Amino acid sequence: MAERPTTSWRHGIAEEAEELAAGTLDPQCACMAVLYPEELLTATDAVLDAFEGELPGLGEASDEQVFAVLERVVLALNAVDDADNGGAFETDEREALCDYIDESLTEHGVNVVALTARHGLGPYQLTNKWRKW
């Protein structure tokens, strides 16, 4: 099952907190809680909850239906990013979110490679039409 990026981000926050508590990490080097504040994690998880709720049955759906689901999740993630003044999702976060979306679609029967090919898109361009992050 595809792992949500927020799971990895929360794990990094917990590891960093343990290192700080143990004194093995200089507090000036701690950045995870700043990069991933709880408001960002909660908002991102809410978007991914909604996305996951739309995944069942997409393997049999039309391309238009799949693209409609993609548009909704990407626009909602745009709103999360905008709420942080357009800076919540940097390169690593963008890649993790796109990978998660692709993997989730694939796990629910959507052939992402064929879908992008049918629409003249490259393999990593599935979200580009709507994505601002």
Side-chain angles (χ1 to χ4, degrees), residues 42-118:
T42 301
T44 304
D45 276 334
V47 170
L48 298 181
D49 285 342
F51 171 64
E52 289 172 2
E54 294 192 79
L55 290 171
L58 276 186
E60 296 83 37
S62 69
D63 288 1
E64 292 73 24
Q65 291 169 310
V66 174
F67 279 118
V69 169
L70 283 168
E71 180 178 13
R72 283 190 289 277
V73 71
V74 172
L75 292 178
L77 288 169
N78 285 348
V80 170
D81 191 56
D82 286 345
D84 194 55
N85 295 315
F89 304 133
E90 299 295 333
T91 302
D92 289 342
E93 292 79 14
R94 288 189 293 264
E95 290 176 2
L97 287 165
C98 287
D99 287 345
Y100 174 76
I101 290 168
D102 286 1
E103 289 173 23
S104 296
L105 290 170
T106 299
E107 288 174 0
H108 285 83
V110 176
N111 184 334
V112 174
V113 173
L115 176 67
T116 55
R118 283 192 299 273

